[in-house]
Amino acid sequence: MSEMSFEQMLDETFKTIHNGEVLEGKVISVRPDEAVLNIGYKADGILTSNEYSNTPVDLTTVISVGDELTVKVLKVNDGEGQVALSYKKLAAEKANKRIEEAFENKEVLKAPVVQILKGLSVDVEGGRVFIPASLVSDAFERDLDKYLNQEIEFVVTEFNPKKRRIIGDRKQLIVAEKEAAKKALFEKIEVGQTVTGVVKSVVDFGAFIDIGGADGLLHISEMSWGRVGNPRKLFKPGDEVTAFIKEINGDKIALSLKFEDTNPWANASEKFAVGVVVTGKVARMKLNQALMHYYMYHRLQIITLISHLMN
């Protein structure tokens, strides 16, 4: 029997590994940009920070000497006689498996937003789900940056990792939640009931108020017993308003602030009976038609006279 070379003896002593293989390794040294792992092979495995995570990371802050990691072999020989390893690819595969299960089961996921790019990029246990801007909410969202680093709920509506299309939808959850709230609201409200809500918008003819599940319209004619010229002088978005339900017509709710106990005409027959002396404040003045014609006629005469004198 011929003698084996030192390299052949090493091959006999250590296990063989292949590209794509998943194995366990023990950290024997770690620097900010790479870690060295003993993988039971004739060469050590090298795990760089780029192959640990998609986001920049100092490896000394996340792993320590002695830690055991499950990694995937990228190259048995990285060109320098060492084994190139990846932690993030294995994590992504596990994450995609989790996302696929959620897709098939129509499960609601909750995960943090890690990037804003014409939508929201969400991290699910190391995997990414993209939520387009049109599916972020049931209304147009101008500022998506407010979602960065926030946890949101969504469902996966498309799963095609080969084409890198893993799409999430938050909008349908919001719509379903609002429909449920609306149904619950209409089951308990009735005409004459007092409700408290928040002004959503103010228009020329009134204000729309969110009363918890649906919007009610507070018409300009129902804002006061007196005359209201401009609703925007009375209300602004965000104001809290307590009103009563005047009418329910299908899914439309009419609100009013003209509570009966504040009706200034409720006892008018007693307050303003014939012979009663009252004190009042002039609200406006109006000339009758005859006086107006008289004024205009003489104004014209004066102008004509002045014109002749100047000529």
Side-chain angles (χ1 to χ4, degrees):
M1 181 182 294
S2 60
E3 292 185 1
M4 292 188 297
S5 67
F6 180 71
E7 185 176 353
Q8 288 174 324
M9 285 189 292
L10 282 176
D11 290 340
E12 288 291 325
T13 304
F14 295 98
K15 64 183 179 181
T16 58
I17 60 175
H18 308 281
N19 291 346
E21 185 176 345
V22 177
L23 45 79
E24 296 290 328
K26 189 172 185 177
V27 179
I28 56 178
S29 71
V30 58
R31 296 186 312 193
D33 59 340
E34 71 173 29
V36 180
L37 279 71
N38 179 356
I39 54 176
Y41 184 60
K42 61 183 179 181
D44 290 328
I46 302 298
L47 175 63
T48 65
S49 58
N50 288 336
E51 285 300 327
Y52 182 85
S53 172
N54 283 319
T55 55
V57 61
D58 178 347
L59 291 180
T60 61
T61 64
V62 290
I63 57 178
S64 304
V65 172
D67 287 351
E68 292 189 355
L69 299 177
T70 302
V71 291
K72 188 172 186 176
V73 177
L74 292 181
K75 290 183 180 180
V76 174
N77 188 335
D78 63 0
E80 297 182 0
Q82 295 173 313
V83 182
L85 305 174
S86 179
Y87 181 81
K88 71 177 185 181
K89 282 184 170 54
L90 185 60
E93 288 173 5
K94 290 180 179 179
N96 281 349
K97 180 69 174 175
R98 171 74 182 94
I99 295 169
E100 184 178 16
E101 291 174 355
F103 169 68
E104 292 174 348
N105 298 327
K106 296 180 173 58
E107 179 186 350
V108 176
L109 294 174
K110 187 174 183 179
V113 176
V114 293
Q115 190 176 14
I116 309 295
L117 185 63
K118 295 183 179 180
L120 310 179
S121 182
V122 186
D123 184 284
V124 180
E125 298 178 13
R128 294 294 180 90
V129 177
F130 177 67
I131 303 177
S134 60
L135 298 179
V136 171
S137 182
D138 62 335
F140 174 69
E141 290 274 14
R142 186 178 300 277
D143 179 22
L144 294 179
D145 290 338
K146 66 183 180 182
Y147 290 104
L148 190 61
N149 300 322
Q150 300 295 317
E151 282 199 336
I152 61 171
E153 291 187 336
F154 60 95
V155 291
V156 181
T157 55
E158 187 176 347
F159 183 80
N160 192 338
K162 290 183 179 180
K163 293 185 177 181
R164 294 185 177 181
R165 281 189 62 83
I166 304 177
I167 306 299
D169 185 346
R170 181 173 177 263
K171 176 180 177 179
Q172 64 174 265
L173 298 182
I174 294 174
V175 171
E177 183 180 348
K178 286 187 175 181
E179 283 298 320
K182 183 176 181 179
K183 182 181 178 182
L185 176 70
F186 275 89
E187 287 177 352
K188 67 180 182 181
I189 61 173
E190 58 185 23
V191 173
Q193 183 177 346
T194 299
V195 293
T196 298
V198 177
V199 176
K200 287 183 65 176
S201 62
V202 184
V203 293
D204 291 340
F205 57 85
F208 289 96
I209 299 172
D210 181 357
I211 57 174
D215 292 345
L217 172 61
L218 177 60
H219 193 268
I220 187 172
S221 62
E222 295 297 326
M223 291 182 174
S224 172
W225 288 104
R227 181 178 176 276
V228 174
N230 185 355
R232 293 180 179 84
K233 291 184 177 181
L234 294 180
F235 303 103
K236 64 180 183 298
D239 286 348
E240 187 174 270
V241 178
T242 298
F244 72 90
I245 299 174
K246 183 179 181 181
E247 183 181 358
I248 300 174
N249 186 4
D251 61 351
K252 292 181 173 57
I253 303 171
L255 302 175
S256 178
L257 288 176
K258 294 163 73 171
F259 290 92
E260 192 56 39
D261 59 357
T262 64
N263 186 353
W265 306 107
N267 58 349
S269 59
E270 298 176 6
K271 289 178 63 177
F272 306 111
V274 176
V276 175
V277 177
V278 296
T279 300
K281 184 178 181 181
V282 176
R284 60 182 180 273
M285 296 180 65
K286 183 178 180 181
L287 292 173
N288 63 34
Q289 194 169 10
L291 286 174
M292 182 61 72
H293 283 304
Y294 178 82
Y295 167 76
M296 292 301 294
Y297 171 77
H298 284 283
R299 183 173 180 270
L300 181 59
Q301 293 296 317
I302 293 170
I303 292 173
T304 302
L305 177 60
I306 291 173
S307 178
H308 283 302
L309 290 173
M310 290 181 68
N311 291 331

